[in-house]
């Protein structure tokens, strides 16, 4: 039996899914995050814990592995692949101090001109005292895959988009090479392209077959899109995880850093969208999962809430408003928790609708249907509120786990 492993490193935890040649799930494992000062240790522990959690009889049959990571989560490593500093996570805004420099070198409204872009982070990191020890700049998925295949400096064009890689011409643009950053930028492959076989010591330790191939990965939100079943222009996927990520399949490529909009190549089409810092993490700041479930049932989803929030945990958003200083708006807070939750759900739904409206105004295909992935997909009240705001059918994705989409990527990589 040929099996394929997809591993997802998302905002709330790591997951792994094993599928067979018919794309049926054979095993599923989870590793939730705990707040940590040492993300490198957490990621490495999560990766190897997930591998060890796969039933032994399945491990022997896995012939391909792919990994996704959070977009623009980046790190510097030395010649041996050892991180020289803590990584900068997807939502880290320290690159904002490099925006003026970026505006002077990048094309107007380019996706790298954002406080959280990979390139903004790299420029910020280049001023760190430890930068001289670094030899490679990697994304989270690149480094995790390196732990498995052992080849440094390899990425995919989904992760490399916010580094400035030209996904239309499939090369680094001249304006980026002229920066002459004294570090090795990743060699960029197509998502699902073979990188190399699993390191023999990993295969031996975990009981994988020799010759198991590690394939180039993708980002967590694109993996969720691949899992959803969406395939036609006008179909979209909203990922309701810790954050809110919108992806709309379009025949037109849309790029505009003023609004945090960018497009990923997906075959002959474009996956256009953006990511907001609002989402489930804000809800979990105020409610337990049990409270979210019980209070949601008391909300009348057919009636709009009068509360107008912009729910953020801290200042700054990326899309549909790209402003690193945008203040959270969580007042007034009613005494009744049902009303408060209604206001939060309604406000996040409005931000989602505003995002899709913006994409269409910029020239993307008209929205026809929204698939939903992530933890929020299970909340029927929220789904009804979102349907009212979006005015199109809102349905749960066929598969909601990004790890499933990444397993599909590994399977398609094998089949070419």
């Amino acid at each position: 039996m040929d099996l394929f492993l997809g591993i997802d490193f998302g905002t709330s935890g790591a997951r792994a899914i094993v599928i067979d040649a018919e794309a049926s799930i054979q095993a599923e494992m989870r590793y939730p995050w705990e707040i940590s000062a040492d993300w490198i240790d957490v990621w490495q522990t999560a990766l190897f814990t997930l591998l060890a959690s796969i039933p032994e009889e399945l491990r022997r049959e896995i012939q391909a592995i792919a990994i996704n990571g959070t977009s623009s989560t980046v790190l510097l490593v030395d010649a041996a692949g050892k991180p020289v500093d803590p990584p900068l996570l997807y939502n880290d805004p320290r690159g904002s101090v490099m925006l003026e420099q970026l505006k002077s070198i990048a094309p107007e409204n380019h996706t790298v001109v954002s406080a959280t872009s990979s390139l903004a982070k790299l420029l910020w990191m280049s001023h760190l005292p430890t930068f001289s020890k670094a030899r490679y700049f990697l994304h989270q998925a690149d480094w995790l895959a390196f732990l498995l295949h052992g080849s440094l400096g390899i990425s995919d064009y989904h992760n490399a988009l916010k580094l400035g890689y030209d996904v239309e011409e499939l090369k680094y643009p001249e304006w980026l090479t002229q920066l002459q950053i004294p570090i090795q930028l990743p060699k960029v492959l197509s998502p699902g392209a073979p990188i190399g076989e699993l390191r023999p010591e990993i295969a031996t330790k975990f009981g994988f077959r020799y010759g198991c191939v590690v394939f180039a990965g993708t980002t967590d939100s694109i993996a969720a899109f691949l899992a959803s079943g969406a395939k036609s222009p006008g179909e979209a996927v909203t990922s309701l995880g810790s954050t809110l990520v919108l992806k709309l399949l379009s025949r037109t490529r849309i790029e505009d850093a003023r609004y945090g909009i960018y497009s990923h190549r997906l075959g002959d089409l474009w996956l256009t969208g953006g990511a907001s810092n609002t989402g489930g993490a804000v809800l979990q700041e105020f409610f337990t999962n049990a409270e979210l479930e019980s209070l949601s049932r008391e909300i009348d989803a057919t009636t709009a809430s009068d509360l107008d929030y912009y729910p953020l945990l801290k200042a700054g958003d990326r899309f549909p408003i790209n402003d690193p200083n945008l203040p959270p708006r969580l007042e007034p807070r009613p005494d009744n928790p049902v009303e408060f939750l209604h206001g939060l759900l309604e406000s996040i739904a409005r931000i989602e609708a505003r995002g899709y409206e913006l994409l269409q105004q910029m020239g993307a295909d008209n929205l026809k249907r929204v698939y939903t992935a992530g933890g929020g997909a299970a909340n029927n009240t929220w789904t009804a509120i979102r349907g009212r705001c979006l005015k199109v059918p809102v349905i749960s994705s066929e598969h909601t786990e990004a790890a499933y989409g990444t397993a599909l990527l590994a399977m398609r990589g094998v089949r070419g």
Side-chain angles (χ1 to χ4, degrees):
M1 181 165 61
D2 290 333
L3 300 178
F4 311 92
L5 171 62
I7 304 174
D8 162 43
F9 275 70
T11 53
S12 59
R15 296 170 179 82
I17 286 179
V18 179
I19 62 172
D20 63 18
E22 278 72 52
S24 297
I25 295 174
Q26 300 298 306
E28 191 169 351
M29 289 65 61
R30 293 171 178 268
Y31 188 99
W33 298 142
E34 293 178 6
I35 300 300
S36 172
D38 187 355
W39 280 108
I40 292 297
D41 183 59
V42 170
W43 295 346
Q44 197 162 319
T45 301
L47 177 63
F48 294 132
T49 301
L50 287 172
L51 294 183
S53 302
I54 299 168
E56 196 176 333
E57 66 276 12
L58 298 184
R59 273 181 259 166
R60 291 193 294 269
E61 305 296 329
I62 291 171
Q63 69 175 84
I65 301 172
I67 300 177
N68 76 65
T70 46
S71 178
S72 291
T73 293
V74 297
L75 66 161
L76 297 169
V77 302
D78 64 17
K82 186 174 173 7
V84 301
D85 265 315
L88 295 192
L89 301 189
Y90 62 95
N91 58 353
D92 193 308
R94 280 178 277 188
S96 61
V97 296
M98 311 310 300
L99 286 180
E100 289 309 311
Q101 183 186 347
L102 273 175
K103 284 176 185 171
S104 70
I105 53 175
E108 189 177 11
N109 301 327
H110 195 283
T111 189
V112 298
V113 186
S114 163
T116 56
S117 77
S118 299
L119 186 55
K121 289 176 176 133
L122 173 55
L123 292 178
W124 182 85
M125 292 163 123
S126 69
H127 296 285
L128 295 174
T130 48
F131 189 72
S132 60
K133 298 179 191 171
R135 291 294 173 270
Y136 295 93
F137 176 78
L138 298 176
H139 302 88
Q140 180 187 35
D142 309 340
W143 184 73
L144 289 163
F146 151 74
L147 295 179
L148 299 185
H149 58 64
S151 298
L152 268 170
I154 298 174
S155 189
D156 63 87
Y157 63 60
H158 288 160
N159 272 294
L161 177 79
K162 294 181 187 176
L163 181 55
Y165 187 78
D166 187 333
V167 293
E168 222 155 357
E169 299 293 329
L170 297 179
K171 64 180 184 180
Y172 284 109
E174 194 176 328
W175 63 263
L176 182 57
T177 56
Q178 284 175 351
L179 273 174
Q180 296 184 319
I181 302 167
I183 196 166
Q184 185 71 43
L185 295 179
K187 176 186 176 184
V188 179
L189 304 178
S190 299
I195 298 175
E197 292 184 359
L198 197 61
R199 287 163 51 205
E201 59 268 37
I202 298 285
T204 300
K205 180 178 179 180
F206 292 100
F208 282 83
R209 66 158 71 167
Y210 291 98
C212 174
V213 176
V214 181
F215 286 79
T218 182
T219 64
D220 59 339
S221 57
I222 293 185
F225 190 94
L226 295 174
S228 70
K231 53 180 79 72
S232 304
E235 292 188 324
V237 172
T238 296
S239 294
L240 292 172
S242 300
T243 58
L244 176 74
V245 183
L246 276 53
K247 301 281 186 206
L248 172 61
L249 205 52
S250 174
R251 285 164 290 206
T252 308
R253 183 185 182 188
I254 312 292
E255 300 275 335
D256 200 322
R258 290 175 301 170
Y259 306 108
I261 294 172
Y262 52 91
S263 292
H264 282 283
R265 177 191 280 269
L266 203 66
D268 297 329
L269 297 172
W270 294 96
L271 202 48
T272 184
S276 171
N277 292 335
T278 194
V282 183
L283 300 177
Q284 289 177 329
E285 179 75 10
F286 299 104
F287 303 101
T288 65
N289 287 336
E291 286 170 338
L292 285 170
E293 200 175 315
S294 62
L295 295 172
S296 292
R297 287 197 292 265
E298 296 184 47
I299 293 171
D300 178 4
T302 63
T303 305
S305 169
D306 294 331
L307 296 165
D308 183 21
Y309 298 142
Y310 205 104
L312 298 169
L313 289 180
K314 59 182 181 181
D317 203 7
R318 301 168 282 165
F319 167 85
I321 300 172
N322 188 10
D323 178 359
N325 302 310
L326 185 73
R329 194 167 69 243
L330 293 161
E331 300 289 339
R333 181 172 172 178
D335 294 332
N336 185 335
V338 176
E339 288 178 30
F340 183 47
L341 178 58
H342 189 181
L344 290 173
L345 296 178
E346 186 94 27
S347 297
I348 296 172
R350 287 185 197 127
I351 293 169
E352 179 187 6
R354 185 173 174 180
Y356 282 122
E357 284 164 11
L358 186 57
L359 295 177
Q360 292 166 93
Q361 286 166 13
M362 304 292 287
D365 279 71
N366 287 336
L367 186 68
K368 294 175 182 171
R369 176 182 291 127
V370 176
Y371 293 84
T372 310
N379 188 317
N380 294 330
T381 303
W382 202 0
T383 301
I385 291 171
R386 293 171 53 237
R388 174 165 47 76
C389 290
L390 291 166
K391 298 179 175 62
V392 296
V394 176
I395 54 179
S396 282
S397 295
E398 200 171 317
H399 292 277
T400 60
E401 293 290 356
Y404 182 84
T406 310
L408 290 177
L409 194 63
M411 181 174 77
R412 290 167 188 166
V414 169
R415 294 175 175 174

